[in-house]
Amino acid sequence: MTMSFTVTKVAEELVAPSGGGGGAQPSLPLSSIDHAMGLKFFVEVVATYEGGGLLQSPADAIRAALARGLAHYYPVAGRLVVSDEGELEVACTGEGVWFVEAKASRYSLSDLRNLEFPLAIPKEELLPCPPPSLDQHEMILMLQVTELKCGGFAVGVKFHHMVFDGIGAGLFLKAIGDIARGLPGPAVEPVWLREAIPAPPIRHPKPPPTVAYNFVRSLRDFPPHAINAIKDSYARGTSHRCSTFDALSAVLWRSRVRAIGLAPEADAHFVFPADVRHLVNAAAAGAYYGNCVYCSTVSKKSELVARAPMAEIVGWIREAKASLAAKFAAWAAGDFEDDPFRVPIGYDTLNLSDWRRVGFHEVDYGSGAPRFVAPLNHHVFFAGGILLKRPAPEQGVRFVGQVVTREHEEDFVQQLKEFV
């Protein structure tokens, strides 16, 4: 048992698959997209829950459901190893997922302030970490359940991005929730099916990033009336509708470009991942949980982005979305000059992901949907933001990210105030 100032970790163990599931191949290759995007890191996410419902002991229920769920997601209980070709692959060893049961008896959900920074409980205490005797870099997923004094609890997850994308991790966690609520197994059976992902030749291998930035954390809530005002303005000017993602992407990109002061003729980039499961055979076969996204990039001169009406920027983003199928088909056929997964990552680039529908907000272990979901990664090599649902019961969208340095923070905040 280990103790800290705020959290007591009362049980730590490897949870192995129960009830079979050992029929997987000894080793499984990863896909071209798994390898293409620079994903050799763990995504860190915490979700907070009310107590009650079906759960008398959240940790016990989730631990038992995890063991049964791994029988369906057997590769997740394995380890990442280097193949004879020098590439990472999954060895289906069945060793298990590192699981931690913890208690934070001094804290209730209200004390956590919806996981806004600075965190009331340091993230290291809400996330699982195996002992030195286990190499966590080989692991695929780790999970911690921290029970609070009010009966609520927090679920901290670290999943390896080489094996899961956001939708894939959401599918896995929803499967654990299905079983914790009494279902015999996942509502949709998972598939590995990496062979369904196209594997065109990589023309220009992506070099690792070398420039680190001292980003500050940004948080901004967009209530429904603010979002609808942007969407209504676009509709009046164009006679077309736009999505919430289109509207907020335009706001965030222009606000950031204005704040960071790029040279007028410098390129400004906006990058966003789009799910392409509907464009590959993985869509019909079950719950495909590997990386299945295509990165769309919109590039314009800085001065043009800074001065453009919001409707024009929305139009650029919508055009990029409309071209997704054709561009993905061209990439799959090897019909490209520059690898589209070699996206810009400098300070002139905003990367934005939308987590509102990847599944994290729908994971129910027996006491209902989470009150709030928070990403906890600390990025230094690229400006990255995430769109989330606002903490229940509030409506609208929360933006969290690390997208500007301290010198540009005030200007960025002032730009966003125009829209909130």
Side-chain angles (χ1 to χ4, degrees), residues 152-187:
F153 60 98
V155 178
V157 179
K158 292 163 70 172
F159 64 88
H160 205 295
H161 213 332
M162 289 284 285
V163 177
F164 294 101
D165 64 6
I167 290 176
L171 287 167
F172 176 80
L173 294 174
K174 284 193 289 186
I176 304 308
D178 291 341
I179 297 170
R181 297 196 316 275
L183 296 181

PDB file of all heavy atoms in Angstrom, residues 152-187:
ATOM      1  N   GLY A 152     -18.793   9.496  -4.508  1.00  0.00           N
ATOM      2  CA  GLY A 152     -18.409   9.592  -5.913  1.00  0.00           C
ATOM      3  C   GLY A 152     -17.044   8.975  -6.139  1.00  0.00           C
ATOM      4  O   GLY A 152     -16.368   8.533  -5.205  1.00  0.00           O
ATOM      5  N   PHE A 153     -16.626   8.962  -7.392  1.00  0.00           N
ATOM      6  CA  PHE A 153     -15.323   8.370  -7.698  1.00  0.00           C
ATOM      7  C   PHE A 153     -14.784   8.946  -9.001  1.00  0.00           C
ATOM      8  O   PHE A 153     -15.520   9.535  -9.805  1.00  0.00           O
ATOM      9  CB  PHE A 153     -15.421   6.841  -7.771  1.00  0.00           C
ATOM     10  CG  PHE A 153     -16.366   6.312  -8.824  1.00  0.00           C
ATOM     11  CD1 PHE A 153     -15.903   5.882 -10.061  1.00  0.00           C
ATOM     12  CD2 PHE A 153     -17.727   6.223  -8.566  1.00  0.00           C
ATOM     13  CE1 PHE A 153     -16.768   5.378 -11.023  1.00  0.00           C
ATOM     14  CE2 PHE A 153     -18.606   5.722  -9.517  1.00  0.00           C
ATOM     15  CZ  PHE A 153     -18.127   5.297 -10.748  1.00  0.00           C
ATOM     16  N   ALA A 154     -13.490   8.786  -9.183  1.00  0.00           N
ATOM     17  CA  ALA A 154     -12.808   9.213 -10.396  1.00  0.00           C
ATOM     18  C   ALA A 154     -12.146   7.999 -11.030  1.00  0.00           C
ATOM     19  O   ALA A 154     -11.579   7.151 -10.330  1.00  0.00           O
ATOM     20  CB  ALA A 154     -11.760  10.283 -10.089  1.00  0.00           C
ATOM     21  N   VAL A 155     -12.239   7.899 -12.355  1.00  0.00           N
ATOM     22  CA  VAL A 155     -11.574   6.834 -13.097  1.00  0.00           C
ATOM     23  C   VAL A 155     -10.478   7.473 -13.946  1.00  0.00           C
ATOM     24  O   VAL A 155     -10.758   8.260 -14.854  1.00  0.00           O
ATOM     25  CB  VAL A 155     -12.568   6.064 -13.990  1.00  0.00           C
ATOM     26  CG1 VAL A 155     -11.832   4.994 -14.794  1.00  0.00           C
ATOM     27  CG2 VAL A 155     -13.662   5.433 -13.141  1.00  0.00           C
ATOM     28  N   GLY A 156      -9.245   7.158 -13.612  1.00  0.00           N
ATOM     29  CA  GLY A 156      -8.094   7.662 -14.362  1.00  0.00           C
ATOM     30  C   GLY A 156      -7.565   6.581 -15.282  1.00  0.00           C
ATOM     31  O   GLY A 156      -7.342   5.446 -14.849  1.00  0.00           O
ATOM     32  N   VAL A 157      -7.374   6.921 -16.541  1.00  0.00           N
ATOM     33  CA  VAL A 157      -6.948   5.946 -17.549  1.00  0.00           C
ATOM     34  C   VAL A 157      -5.743   6.485 -18.300  1.00  0.00           C
ATOM     35  O   VAL A 157      -5.680   7.671 -18.644  1.00  0.00           O
ATOM     36  CB  VAL A 157      -8.092   5.655 -18.549  1.00  0.00           C
ATOM     37  CG1 VAL A 157      -7.633   4.654 -19.607  1.00  0.00           C
ATOM     38  CG2 VAL A 157      -9.320   5.136 -17.827  1.00  0.00           C
ATOM     39  N   LYS A 158      -4.792   5.610 -18.536  1.00  0.00           N
ATOM     40  CA  LYS A 158      -3.689   5.892 -19.454  1.00  0.00           C
ATOM     41  C   LYS A 158      -3.727   4.818 -20.533  1.00  0.00           C
ATOM     42  O   LYS A 158      -3.594   3.637 -20.222  1.00  0.00           O
ATOM     43  CB  LYS A 158      -2.350   5.872 -18.708  1.00  0.00           C
ATOM     44  CG  LYS A 158      -2.186   7.012 -17.713  1.00  0.00           C
ATOM     45  CD  LYS A 158      -1.077   6.757 -16.709  1.00  0.00           C
ATOM     46  CE  LYS A 158       0.292   6.820 -17.319  1.00  0.00           C
ATOM     47  NZ  LYS A 158       1.353   6.759 -16.269  1.00  0.00           N
ATOM     48  N   PHE A 159      -3.948   5.232 -21.788  1.00  0.00           N
ATOM     49  CA  PHE A 159      -3.962   4.254 -22.878  1.00  0.00           C
ATOM     50  C   PHE A 159      -2.940   4.633 -23.933  1.00  0.00           C
ATOM     51  O   PHE A 159      -2.714   5.804 -24.218  1.00  0.00           O
ATOM     52  CB  PHE A 159      -5.362   4.096 -23.489  1.00  0.00           C
ATOM     53  CG  PHE A 159      -5.925   5.318 -24.176  1.00  0.00           C
ATOM     54  CD1 PHE A 159      -5.666   5.571 -25.527  1.00  0.00           C
ATOM     55  CD2 PHE A 159      -6.753   6.191 -23.494  1.00  0.00           C
ATOM     56  CE1 PHE A 159      -6.201   6.673 -26.163  1.00  0.00           C
ATOM     57  CE2 PHE A 159      -7.302   7.303 -24.131  1.00  0.00           C
ATOM     58  CZ  PHE A 159      -7.020   7.542 -25.473  1.00  0.00           C
ATOM     59  N   HIS A 160      -2.293   3.601 -24.489  1.00  0.00           N
ATOM     60  CA  HIS A 160      -1.229   3.834 -25.464  1.00  0.00           C
ATOM     61  C   HIS A 160      -1.854   4.174 -26.813  1.00  0.00           C
ATOM     62  O   HIS A 160      -2.648   3.417 -27.365  1.00  0.00           O
ATOM     63  CB  HIS A 160      -0.327   2.610 -25.595  1.00  0.00           C
ATOM     64  CG  HIS A 160       1.045   2.951 -26.082  1.00  0.00           C
ATOM     65  ND1 HIS A 160       1.284   3.463 -27.338  1.00  0.00           N
ATOM     66  CD2 HIS A 160       2.255   2.866 -25.472  1.00  0.00           C
ATOM     67  CE1 HIS A 160       2.576   3.672 -27.490  1.00  0.00           C
ATOM     68  NE2 HIS A 160       3.193   3.327 -26.365  1.00  0.00           N
ATOM     69  N   HIS A 161      -1.453   5.324 -27.339  1.00  0.00           N
ATOM     70  CA  HIS A 161      -2.066   5.827 -28.568  1.00  0.00           C
ATOM     71  C   HIS A 161      -1.672   5.016 -29.798  1.00  0.00           C
ATOM     72  O   HIS A 161      -2.327   5.116 -30.841  1.00  0.00           O
ATOM     73  CB  HIS A 161      -1.692   7.300 -28.766  1.00  0.00           C
ATOM     74  CG  HIS A 161      -2.758   8.113 -29.426  1.00  0.00           C
ATOM     75  ND1 HIS A 161      -3.694   7.580 -30.297  1.00  0.00           N
ATOM     76  CD2 HIS A 161      -3.041   9.439 -29.355  1.00  0.00           C
ATOM     77  CE1 HIS A 161      -4.495   8.538 -30.725  1.00  0.00           C
ATOM     78  NE2 HIS A 161      -4.132   9.671 -30.166  1.00  0.00           N
ATOM     79  N   MET A 162      -0.650   4.189 -29.708  1.00  0.00           N
ATOM     80  CA  MET A 162      -0.309   3.318 -30.839  1.00  0.00           C
ATOM     81  C   MET A 162      -1.358   2.232 -31.041  1.00  0.00           C
ATOM     82  O   MET A 162      -1.486   1.681 -32.128  1.00  0.00           O
ATOM     83  CB  MET A 162       1.058   2.668 -30.623  1.00  0.00           C
ATOM     84  CG  MET A 162       2.239   3.598 -30.749  1.00  0.00           C
ATOM     85  SD  MET A 162       2.658   4.014 -32.454  1.00  0.00           S
ATOM     86  CE  MET A 162       3.449   2.501 -33.000  1.00  0.00           C
ATOM     87  N   VAL A 163      -2.116   1.902 -29.999  1.00  0.00           N
ATOM     88  CA  VAL A 163      -3.106   0.825 -30.067  1.00  0.00           C
ATOM     89  C   VAL A 163      -4.527   1.368 -30.166  1.00  0.00           C
ATOM     90  O   VAL A 163      -5.368   0.789 -30.845  1.00  0.00           O
ATOM     91  CB  VAL A 163      -2.967  -0.106 -28.853  1.00  0.00           C
ATOM     92  CG1 VAL A 163      -4.038  -1.199 -28.855  1.00  0.00           C
ATOM     93  CG2 VAL A 163      -1.575  -0.744 -28.828  1.00  0.00           C
ATOM     94  N   PHE A 164      -4.813   2.474 -29.505  1.00  0.00           N
ATOM     95  CA  PHE A 164      -6.156   3.053 -29.472  1.00  0.00           C
ATOM     96  C   PHE A 164      -6.152   4.453 -30.070  1.00  0.00           C
ATOM     97  O   PHE A 164      -5.220   5.227 -29.820  1.00  0.00           O
ATOM     98  CB  PHE A 164      -6.650   3.239 -28.031  1.00  0.00           C
ATOM     99  CG  PHE A 164      -6.885   1.993 -27.239  1.00  0.00           C
ATOM    100  CD1 PHE A 164      -5.949   1.555 -26.315  1.00  0.00           C
ATOM    101  CD2 PHE A 164      -8.072   1.280 -27.358  1.00  0.00           C
ATOM    102  CE1 PHE A 164      -6.176   0.441 -25.533  1.00  0.00           C
ATOM    103  CE2 PHE A 164      -8.313   0.156 -26.581  1.00  0.00           C
ATOM    104  CZ  PHE A 164      -7.369  -0.267 -25.667  1.00  0.00           C
ATOM    105  N   ASP A 165      -7.192   4.808 -30.818  1.00  0.00           N
ATOM    106  CA  ASP A 165      -7.497   6.217 -30.976  1.00  0.00           C
ATOM    107  C   ASP A 165      -8.581   6.566 -29.954  1.00  0.00           C
ATOM    108  O   ASP A 165      -8.958   5.733 -29.121  1.00  0.00           O
ATOM    109  CB  ASP A 165      -7.891   6.567 -32.416  1.00  0.00           C
ATOM    110  CG  ASP A 165      -9.176   5.898 -32.897  1.00  0.00           C
ATOM    111  OD1 ASP A 165      -9.861   5.241 -32.092  1.00  0.00           O
ATOM    112  OD2 ASP A 165      -9.490   6.033 -34.104  1.00  0.00           O
ATOM    113  N   GLY A 166      -9.070   7.807 -29.979  1.00  0.00           N
ATOM    114  CA  GLY A 166     -10.046   8.215 -28.978  1.00  0.00           C
ATOM    115  C   GLY A 166     -11.307   7.377 -29.029  1.00  0.00           C
ATOM    116  O   GLY A 166     -11.831   6.948 -27.990  1.00  0.00           O
ATOM    117  N   ILE A 167     -11.826   7.143 -30.235  1.00  0.00           N
ATOM    118  CA  ILE A 167     -13.026   6.325 -30.370  1.00  0.00           C
ATOM    119  C   ILE A 167     -12.758   4.913 -29.889  1.00  0.00           C
ATOM    120  O   ILE A 167     -13.592   4.290 -29.211  1.00  0.00           O
ATOM    121  CB  ILE A 167     -13.520   6.331 -31.825  1.00  0.00           C
ATOM    122  CG1 ILE A 167     -14.082   7.712 -32.182  1.00  0.00           C
ATOM    123  CG2 ILE A 167     -14.574   5.252 -32.069  1.00  0.00           C
ATOM    124  CD1 ILE A 167     -14.506   7.862 -33.621  1.00  0.00           C
ATOM    125  N   GLY A 168     -11.578   4.379 -30.196  1.00  0.00           N
ATOM    126  CA  GLY A 168     -11.235   3.026 -29.767  1.00  0.00           C
ATOM    127  C   GLY A 168     -11.168   2.903 -28.257  1.00  0.00           C
ATOM    128  O   GLY A 168     -11.689   1.940 -27.675  1.00  0.00           O
ATOM    129  N   ALA A 169     -10.538   3.882 -27.603  1.00  0.00           N
ATOM    130  CA  ALA A 169     -10.487   3.845 -26.140  1.00  0.00           C
ATOM    131  C   ALA A 169     -11.877   4.000 -25.553  1.00  0.00           C
ATOM    132  O   ALA A 169     -12.220   3.355 -24.551  1.00  0.00           O
ATOM    133  CB  ALA A 169      -9.563   4.951 -25.626  1.00  0.00           C
ATOM    134  N   GLY A 170     -12.712   4.842 -26.190  1.00  0.00           N
ATOM    135  CA  GLY A 170     -14.090   4.978 -25.730  1.00  0.00           C
ATOM    136  C   GLY A 170     -14.861   3.677 -25.845  1.00  0.00           C
ATOM    137  O   GLY A 170     -15.633   3.314 -24.949  1.00  0.00           O
ATOM    138  N   LEU A 171     -14.650   2.942 -26.943  1.00  0.00           N
ATOM    139  CA  LEU A 171     -15.301   1.639 -27.113  1.00  0.00           C
ATOM    140  C   LEU A 171     -14.891   0.669 -26.007  1.00  0.00           C
ATOM    141  O   LEU A 171     -15.727  -0.058 -25.454  1.00  0.00           O
ATOM    142  CB  LEU A 171     -14.943   1.052 -28.477  1.00  0.00           C
ATOM    143  CG  LEU A 171     -15.598   1.689 -29.704  1.00  0.00           C
ATOM    144  CD1 LEU A 171     -14.908   1.218 -30.973  1.00  0.00           C
ATOM    145  CD2 LEU A 171     -17.089   1.350 -29.749  1.00  0.00           C
ATOM    146  N   PHE A 172     -13.603   0.647 -25.697  1.00  0.00           N
ATOM    147  CA  PHE A 172     -13.123  -0.259 -24.652  1.00  0.00           C
ATOM    148  C   PHE A 172     -13.742   0.089 -23.305  1.00  0.00           C
ATOM    149  O   PHE A 172     -14.250  -0.791 -22.586  1.00  0.00           O
ATOM    150  CB  PHE A 172     -11.601  -0.202 -24.564  1.00  0.00           C
ATOM    151  CG  PHE A 172     -11.023  -1.035 -23.462  1.00  0.00           C
ATOM    152  CD1 PHE A 172     -10.869  -2.403 -23.609  1.00  0.00           C
ATOM    153  CD2 PHE A 172     -10.657  -0.456 -22.254  1.00  0.00           C
ATOM    154  CE1 PHE A 172     -10.355  -3.188 -22.578  1.00  0.00           C
ATOM    155  CE2 PHE A 172     -10.143  -1.217 -21.215  1.00  0.00           C
ATOM    156  CZ  PHE A 172      -9.991  -2.592 -21.384  1.00  0.00           C
ATOM    157  N   LEU A 173     -13.721   1.368 -22.938  1.00  0.00           N
ATOM    158  CA  LEU A 173     -14.254   1.763 -21.636  1.00  0.00           C
ATOM    159  C   LEU A 173     -15.765   1.557 -21.569  1.00  0.00           C
ATOM    160  O   LEU A 173     -16.300   1.162 -20.520  1.00  0.00           O
ATOM    161  CB  LEU A 173     -13.885   3.217 -21.344  1.00  0.00           C
ATOM    162  CG  LEU A 173     -12.383   3.479 -21.172  1.00  0.00           C
ATOM    163  CD1 LEU A 173     -12.126   4.971 -21.042  1.00  0.00           C
ATOM    164  CD2 LEU A 173     -11.824   2.725 -19.972  1.00  0.00           C
ATOM    165  N   LYS A 174     -16.469   1.799 -22.666  1.00  0.00           N
ATOM    166  CA  LYS A 174     -17.909   1.529 -22.670  1.00  0.00           C
ATOM    167  C   LYS A 174     -18.181   0.036 -22.514  1.00  0.00           C
ATOM    168  O   LYS A 174     -19.170  -0.361 -21.877  1.00  0.00           O
ATOM    169  CB  LYS A 174     -18.538   2.065 -23.954  1.00  0.00           C
ATOM    170  CG  LYS A 174     -18.700   3.580 -23.951  1.00  0.00           C
ATOM    171  CD  LYS A 174     -19.603   4.070 -25.067  1.00  0.00           C
ATOM    172  CE  LYS A 174     -18.963   3.954 -26.414  1.00  0.00           C
ATOM    173  NZ  LYS A 174     -19.815   4.569 -27.478  1.00  0.00           N
ATOM    174  N   ALA A 175     -17.305  -0.813 -23.080  1.00  0.00           N
ATOM    175  CA  ALA A 175     -17.469  -2.259 -22.899  1.00  0.00           C
ATOM    176  C   ALA A 175     -17.320  -2.644 -21.434  1.00  0.00           C
ATOM    177  O   ALA A 175     -18.087  -3.474 -20.916  1.00  0.00           O
ATOM    178  CB  ALA A 175     -16.447  -3.008 -23.750  1.00  0.00           C
ATOM    179  N   ILE A 176     -16.351  -2.048 -20.742  1.00  0.00           N
ATOM    180  CA  ILE A 176     -16.192  -2.316 -19.313  1.00  0.00           C
ATOM    181  C   ILE A 176     -17.437  -1.852 -18.551  1.00  0.00           C
ATOM    182  O   ILE A 176     -17.924  -2.530 -17.642  1.00  0.00           O
ATOM    183  CB  ILE A 176     -14.930  -1.622 -18.767  1.00  0.00           C
ATOM    184  CG1 ILE A 176     -13.688  -2.050 -19.567  1.00  0.00           C
ATOM    185  CG2 ILE A 176     -14.744  -1.932 -17.282  1.00  0.00           C
ATOM    186  CD1 ILE A 176     -13.509  -3.532 -19.691  1.00  0.00           C
ATOM    187  N   GLY A 177     -17.966  -0.688 -18.959  1.00  0.00           N
ATOM    188  CA  GLY A 177     -19.185  -0.205 -18.326  1.00  0.00           C
ATOM    189  C   GLY A 177     -20.368  -1.125 -18.583  1.00  0.00           C
ATOM    190  O   GLY A 177     -21.184  -1.378 -17.685  1.00  0.00           O
ATOM    191  N   ASP A 178     -20.491  -1.637 -19.818  1.00  0.00           N
ATOM    192  CA  ASP A 178     -21.571  -2.580 -20.135  1.00  0.00           C
ATOM    193  C   ASP A 178     -21.559  -3.769 -19.179  1.00  0.00           C
ATOM    194  O   ASP A 178     -22.592  -4.176 -18.633  1.00  0.00           O
ATOM    195  CB  ASP A 178     -21.431  -3.100 -21.573  1.00  0.00           C
ATOM    196  CG  ASP A 178     -21.692  -2.041 -22.624  1.00  0.00           C
ATOM    197  OD1 ASP A 178     -22.328  -1.015 -22.297  1.00  0.00           O
ATOM    198  OD2 ASP A 178     -21.265  -2.241 -23.782  1.00  0.00           O
ATOM    199  N   ILE A 179     -20.365  -4.326 -18.983  1.00  0.00           N
ATOM    200  CA  ILE A 179     -20.236  -5.512 -18.140  1.00  0.00           C
ATOM    201  C   ILE A 179     -20.464  -5.161 -16.669  1.00  0.00           C
ATOM    202  O   ILE A 179     -21.109  -5.912 -15.929  1.00  0.00           O
ATOM    203  CB  ILE A 179     -18.857  -6.162 -18.357  1.00  0.00           C
ATOM    204  CG1 ILE A 179     -18.737  -6.642 -19.812  1.00  0.00           C
ATOM    205  CG2 ILE A 179     -18.634  -7.305 -17.386  1.00  0.00           C
ATOM    206  CD1 ILE A 179     -17.340  -7.075 -20.210  1.00  0.00           C
ATOM    207  N   ALA A 180     -19.958  -3.996 -16.231  1.00  0.00           N
ATOM    208  CA  ALA A 180     -20.160  -3.581 -14.842  1.00  0.00           C
ATOM    209  C   ALA A 180     -21.645  -3.400 -14.531  1.00  0.00           C
ATOM    210  O   ALA A 180     -22.082  -3.606 -13.383  1.00  0.00           O
ATOM    211  CB  ALA A 180     -19.400  -2.284 -14.563  1.00  0.00           C
ATOM    212  N   ARG A 181     -22.438  -3.043 -15.546  1.00  0.00           N
ATOM    213  CA  ARG A 181     -23.881  -2.851 -15.348  1.00  0.00           C
ATOM    214  C   ARG A 181     -24.658  -4.149 -15.488  1.00  0.00           C
ATOM    215  O   ARG A 181     -25.898  -4.139 -15.417  1.00  0.00           O
ATOM    216  CB  ARG A 181     -24.424  -1.823 -16.343  1.00  0.00           C
ATOM    217  CG  ARG A 181     -23.841  -0.430 -16.189  1.00  0.00           C
ATOM    218  CD  ARG A 181     -24.679   0.611 -16.931  1.00  0.00           C
ATOM    219  NE  ARG A 181     -25.083   0.165 -18.262  1.00  0.00           N
ATOM    220  CZ  ARG A 181     -24.343   0.270 -19.365  1.00  0.00           C
ATOM    221  NH1 ARG A 181     -23.120   0.780 -19.277  1.00  0.00           N
ATOM    222  NH2 ARG A 181     -24.805  -0.145 -20.523  1.00  0.00           N
ATOM    223  N   GLY A 182     -23.972  -5.276 -15.721  1.00  0.00           N
ATOM    224  CA  GLY A 182     -24.645  -6.558 -15.717  1.00  0.00           C
ATOM    225  C   GLY A 182     -24.823  -7.220 -17.062  1.00  0.00           C
ATOM    226  O   GLY A 182     -25.362  -8.335 -17.134  1.00  0.00           O
ATOM    227  N   LEU A 183     -24.376  -6.579 -18.157  1.00  0.00           N
ATOM    228  CA  LEU A 183     -24.466  -7.236 -19.454  1.00  0.00           C
ATOM    229  C   LEU A 183     -23.448  -8.370 -19.526  1.00  0.00           C
ATOM    230  O   LEU A 183     -22.392  -8.318 -18.889  1.00  0.00           O
ATOM    231  CB  LEU A 183     -24.217  -6.233 -20.579  1.00  0.00           C
ATOM    232  CG  LEU A 183     -25.230  -5.092 -20.725  1.00  0.00           C
ATOM    233  CD1 LEU A 183     -24.850  -4.198 -21.894  1.00  0.00           C
ATOM    234  CD2 LEU A 183     -26.635  -5.640 -20.903  1.00  0.00           C
ATOM    235  N   PRO A 184     -23.717  -9.415 -20.327  1.00  0.00           N
ATOM    236  CA  PRO A 184     -22.781 -10.544 -20.399  1.00  0.00           C
ATOM    237  C   PRO A 184     -21.484 -10.211 -21.111  1.00  0.00           C
ATOM    238  O   PRO A 184     -20.491 -10.920 -20.950  1.00  0.00           O
ATOM    239  CB  PRO A 184     -23.575 -11.603 -21.177  1.00  0.00           C
ATOM    240  CG  PRO A 184     -24.596 -10.829 -21.948  1.00  0.00           C
ATOM    241  CD  PRO A 184     -24.956  -9.661 -21.089  1.00  0.00           C
ATOM    242  N   GLY A 185     -21.470  -9.151 -21.903  1.00  0.00           N
ATOM    243  CA  GLY A 185     -20.265  -8.764 -22.637  1.00  0.00           C
ATOM    244  C   GLY A 185     -20.478  -7.412 -23.277  1.00  0.00           C
ATOM    245  O   GLY A 185     -21.490  -6.740 -23.034  1.00  0.00           O
ATOM    246  N   PRO A 186     -19.524  -6.953 -24.093  1.00  0.00           N
ATOM    247  CA  PRO A 186     -19.680  -5.657 -24.758  1.00  0.00           C
ATOM    248  C   PRO A 186     -20.919  -5.641 -25.656  1.00  0.00           C
ATOM    249  O   PRO A 186     -21.285  -6.659 -26.255  1.00  0.00           O
ATOM    250  CB  PRO A 186     -18.402  -5.532 -25.593  1.00  0.00           C
ATOM    251  CG  PRO A 186     -17.437  -6.501 -24.994  1.00  0.00           C
ATOM    252  CD  PRO A 186     -18.261  -7.612 -24.437  1.00  0.00           C
ATOM    253  N   ALA A 187     -21.551  -4.489 -25.762  1.00  0.00           N
ATOM    254  CA  ALA A 187     -22.711  -4.355 -26.644  1.00  0.00           C
ATOM    255  C   ALA A 187     -22.318  -4.614 -28.099  1.00  0.00           C
ATOM    256  O   ALA A 187     -23.122  -5.130 -28.879  1.00  0.00           O
ATOM    257  CB  ALA A 187     -23.325  -2.966 -26.496  1.00  0.00           C
TER     258      ALA A 187
END
